[in-house]
Amino acid sequence: MTNDTLSDVLLEALALRSGPVPISAYPAVAGGKRPVRNSRPQEFKRALEAQTLLPFAEISRRFSRDQAPNLAVICGPPSSGLAVLDFDEPEAFAAFEAEFPKFVLDSPLVRTRRGYHLGALLDDRAPPLRNGPTSFGDLKTKGGFALWPPSVCGGFQRSYVRHPCDCEPKPLTGKVLRWLVESRLFRDAGRYVGSLSKMRAQLDSPEYPTG
């Protein structure tokens, strides 16, 4: 674990916002996952859009006097439709990687204490995937957030295998979603993404991307 400075965290937030697929981020408590209530995400977002470092520091110092904050990326519309597949079990990630090696190889990837975060994009025509737990970990969509480097959680500093500035997130196509559903990696799929029959009908729609 390294001792990143506040400037390191802020520069990373700016890099994510300035990447080929803009990703918004805001401060989370140092060493934890909870977004900081008094960090004013909208103010932080405006600072990102203006690409100014001073407001970042002013916002962050409100809650982090002697530690750099963690960095929470926002899923959904604020981040170009970002979705994060949070693989808590290495076996689940290995199964997904074996089925879709190119998708994994071409996607942003973060190493966490227990597994990996894989960055992807939700298509506007996608089934109504909800932010919530799955059998492989969490599916983070609209309303969710994920801790990305240089965040520290549970004493482990998260690191990039592939940075989103070097590797754009790819759409979660019907083929990928169908495999996730039919392989039963989703726990209680009906509870989290609607009935399987409805989801299959949406995936079978000619308007939905199948690549």
Side-chain angles (χ1 to χ4, degrees):
M1 182 177 69
T2 61
N3 185 21
D4 288 274
T5 66
L6 179 61
S7 295
D8 293 327
V9 175
L10 304 180
L11 286 169
E12 177 58 25
L14 181 57
L16 290 172
R17 185 67 183 174
S18 305
V21 175
I23 294 174
S24 295
Y26 63 91
V29 292
K33 293 185 176 183
R34 180 175 56 82
V36 179
R37 292 181 181 178
N38 66 345
S39 63
R40 300 183 187 179
Q42 288 304 315
E43 185 178 353
F44 194 74
K45 185 178 179 219
R46 285 194 293 271
L48 282 168
E49 290 170 344
Q51 298 189 10
T52 54
L53 287 180
L54 183 59
F56 298 161
E58 291 175 351
I59 293 165
S60 299
R61 286 193 186 107
R62 294 173 187 160
F63 63 89
S64 183
R65 296 180 181 177
D66 53 10
Q67 281 185 292
N70 277 345
L71 191 65
V73 296
I74 308 169
C75 298
S79 295
S80 310
L82 179 71
V84 173
L85 298 175
D86 179 0
F87 292 93
D88 280 344
E89 299 296 333
E91 295 80 5
F93 177 76
F96 183 81
E97 185 177 31
E99 189 69 21
F100 301 103
K102 182 169 173 49
F103 185 87
V104 172
L105 185 63
D106 292 343
S107 299
L109 193 63
V110 171
R111 183 175 289 108
T112 68
R113 183 171 61 89
R114 291 191 293 175
Y116 296 91
H117 283 178
L118 187 142
L121 296 175
L122 285 179
D123 191 276
D124 290 340
R125 298 159 291 180
L129 297 173
R130 293 178 58 191
N131 180 60
T134 71
S135 61
F136 61 76
D138 288 318
L139 174 65
K140 302 176 187 295
T141 60
K142 181 179 179 181
F145 70 94
L147 291 184
W148 277 13
S151 298
V152 176
C153 190
F156 182 87
Q157 182 166 42
R158 302 187 174 197
S159 60
Y160 284 110
V161 178
R162 282 181 293 280
H163 196 285
C165 287
D166 303 321
C167 191
E168 296 182 25
K170 302 298 184 292
L172 281 173
T173 63
K175 183 177 181 181
V176 172
L177 292 171
R178 183 183 295 279
W179 185 87
L180 286 169
V181 171
E182 295 185 348
S183 66
R184 298 188 179 182
L185 279 180
F186 276 95
R187 178 180 62 231
D188 299 331
R191 177 181 175 186
Y192 294 112
V193 296
S195 70
L196 286 178
S197 60
K198 181 178 179 181
M199 185 172 186
R200 287 195 179 103
Q202 290 173 300
L203 293 175
D204 289 338
S205 168
E207 288 81 24
Y208 194 85
T210 59

